[in-house]
Amino acid sequence: MAEDEIPESDRRTRRRETPEERADRRWTELIQEIRVAQTGVQILLGFLLTVVFTPHFQSLEQTDKTIYLVTVVLGSLATGALIGPVAFHRIVSGRRIKPQAVVWASRLTFLGLILLLATLVSALFLILRVATHDGYVPWLVSGVVAWYLVCWFGLPLWARFRYTNGDGLSSDE
């Protein structure tokens, strides 16, 4: 029997897994990734939420207060996006759409990482502005942004293109 005659549900990937097994594996991997980012963003947001109640907050310049508000909103959005996959899974669980749920959860996670990046940059900018009032702060923050971009996106994309062929499979498979 030719491969194209095998029903889609019975086809196996190069890893010898069905679409359902692949979705289960990808979901497990995604949840492990989310745990790392979720913990960081929740701790960061928790600290950010307490700043407004400190005596020093009232003496900040309006520009710094605005940066703070933007940072808190970004942190809240990142938290929502990174917790979203859990709620998504809970709501669709048992509906036999795990492959689609994994795709949407992955998209939410990626969006959450982008928002986390923006939150970290904004928080760093605010802290360095308040701590130093120096003109080099934007340059320092730009250097950190470049570092985040290299670590979070540059290296993974380089490895993806370097070690896989166009279909996402390892070039040695």
Side-chain angles (χ1 to χ4, degrees), residues 49 71 87 142 167:
L49 292 174
T71 305
S142 296
D167 60 5

Side-chain angles (χ1 to χ4, degrees), residues 128-163:
L128 293 178
R129 255 182 70 91
V130 171
T132 68
H133 301 288
D134 287 331
Y136 67 83
V137 168
W139 296 104
L140 186 56
V141 172
S142 296
V144 172
V145 169
W147 177 247
Y148 286 158
L149 292 174
V150 166
C151 292
W152 293 11
F153 304 106
L155 289 174
L157 286 170
W158 173 80
R160 181 177 179 170
F161 292 116
R162 169 69 173 88
Y163 296 112

Side-chain angles (χ1 to χ4, degrees), residues 2-21:
E3 184 176 310
D4 59 350
E5 295 176 26
I6 300 172
E8 180 67 34
S9 61
D10 292 339
R11 288 190 189 155
R12 295 193 172 259
T13 63
R14 291 181 187 261
R15 295 183 84 144
R16 305 279 189 230
E17 54 190 5
T18 65
E20 291 80 17
E21 291 168 337

Side-chain angles (χ1 to χ4, degrees), residues 58-112:
Q58 299 310 319
S59 64
L60 289 178
E61 297 174 17
Q62 187 56 46
T63 301
D64 294 331
K65 288 180 180 179
T66 301
I67 295 168
Y68 169 77
L69 293 174
V70 168
T71 305
V72 169
V73 169
L74 287 169
S76 297
L77 294 171
T79 300
L82 291 169
I83 292 174
V86 176
F88 195 100
H89 181 264
R90 184 54 24 224
I91 290 170
V92 303
S93 181
R95 304 287 185 230
R96 299 180 193 268
I97 59 168
K98 187 173 257 180
Q100 295 84 355
V102 169
V103 168
W104 281 103
S106 181
R107 290 174 181 163
L108 278 171
T109 302
F110 190 77
L111 176 61

Side-chain angles (χ1 to χ4, degrees), residues 74-75 77-79 81 110-120:
L74 287 169
L77 294 171
T79 300
F110 190 77
L111 176 61
L113 290 175
I114 298 294
L115 290 166
L116 177 57
L117 173 67
T119 305
L120 289 169

